[in-house]
Amino acid sequence: MYRERASRLPGAAVWTSVPAEGDGPGRVLPDGCMDLLWHDGRLLVAGPDTHAYVDGSSAGPWSGICFHPGTAPTLLGVPAHELRDRRVELADVWPAAEVRRATARVHGAHHPARGLEDVALRLAASAGPPDPLLTRLVAALDAGRPVAGTADALGLGARQLHRRSLAAFGYGPKTLARILRMRRALALAHAGVPFAETAARAGYADQPHLSREVRSLTGVALRELVPPPGAAS
């Protein structure tokens, strides 16, 4: 069972996942975000994904805090591209003493998710507010605006935008735009919007284009992620 709520850290979400008996490997879809995770008494970092991450070792409960796109590198002190498509121990990123303090805080919390949130809030208090330019970039791309036009509006050249995107998101702005567009499409499809209309509203050329992109980014067909109405569960 997966549960999620808005975090006290603006833009972030706190979540828990408890696999049911008989569940197969978990499939985590790319979303432009990075997560701080707690599992089996350990702190880990989930880097930004360019494709679905299939976790074959999901036994037992997981807790996490999912950071708004572009904000985690400043909080965690590591460029996003160094963790792209990876799950690493926090000890590989932070000094051992800091990891011990954070681990003790999560372990001593009423619930691990609350402890992770407390750690994130302390990090944010030290790091200051998010870069407003990156916030505007994410908002523009999530609204379906083209990368080139967004770069011009932000006063950034193509190379500078790509360099800043690698550090903040783990990949270039075109990949971020593809992932955000897919997330918009899946939200529409899950809300019951027909696939052809979903494709048009999310900015795809047509339904086959939507289907190709979903399979490319997730590894499965659109109908596997969003079964047609009335399909057996």
Side-chain angles (χ1 to χ4, degrees):
M1 178 182 294
Y2 178 86
R3 293 182 177 177
E4 180 180 306
R5 65 169 174 81
S7 171
R8 290 174 289 154
L9 178 66
V14 178
W15 58 267
T16 58
S17 178
V18 182
E21 184 176 354
D23 282 354
R27 182 177 297 272
V28 181
L29 305 187
D31 57 6
C33 302
M34 294 173 59
D35 294 57
L36 182 62
L37 310 172
W38 177 262
H39 177 64
D40 197 23
R42 298 177 299 143
L43 284 166
L44 304 97
V45 180
D49 294 322
T50 59
H51 50 76
Y53 180 83
V54 180
D55 181 12
S57 59
S58 57
W62 288 77
S63 297
I65 180 164
C66 178
F67 298 104
H68 189 70
T71 60
T74 299
L75 301 180
L76 300 176
V78 59
H81 64 83
E82 292 187 7
L83 301 178
R84 183 174 54 233
D85 295 320
R86 299 174 62 197
R87 305 294 187 270
V88 302
E89 299 274 354
L90 185 61
D92 294 336
V93 178
W94 284 7
E98 294 184 23
V99 174
R100 286 194 297 270
R101 285 193 291 270
T103 300
R105 181 170 296 278
V106 177
H107 186 72
H110 176 68
H111 189 281
R114 182 60 179 258
L116 288 170
E117 190 175 28
D118 289 342
V119 170
L121 287 167
R122 285 175 173 265
L123 293 173
S126 300
D131 184 339
L133 185 144
L134 295 178
T135 301
R136 290 168 57 197
L137 172 61
V138 173
L141 296 182
D142 198 27
R145 297 193 178 96
V147 172
T150 299
D152 289 342
L154 296 176
L156 295 175
R159 290 185 179 180
Q160 186 181 11
L161 177 61
H162 189 79
R163 183 172 62 252
R164 294 186 69 161
S165 294
L166 283 179
F169 310 113
Y171 32 64
K174 290 184 178 179
T175 298
L176 176 62
R178 288 180 64 205
I179 289 171
L180 294 177
R181 179 173 61 177
M182 182 196 70
R183 302 295 298 198
R184 294 196 306 275
L186 290 179
L188 289 169
H190 278 296
V193 178
F195 289 165
E197 183 181 346
T198 288
R201 288 173 59 178
Y204 293 94
D206 49 28
Q207 185 176 330
H209 182 204
L210 165 64
S211 297
R212 290 194 302 271
E213 280 288 276
V214 168
R215 184 176 287 278
S216 174
L217 290 168
T218 71
V220 296
L222 174 60
R223 290 184 179 275
E224 292 186 50
L225 296 173
V226 190
S233 59

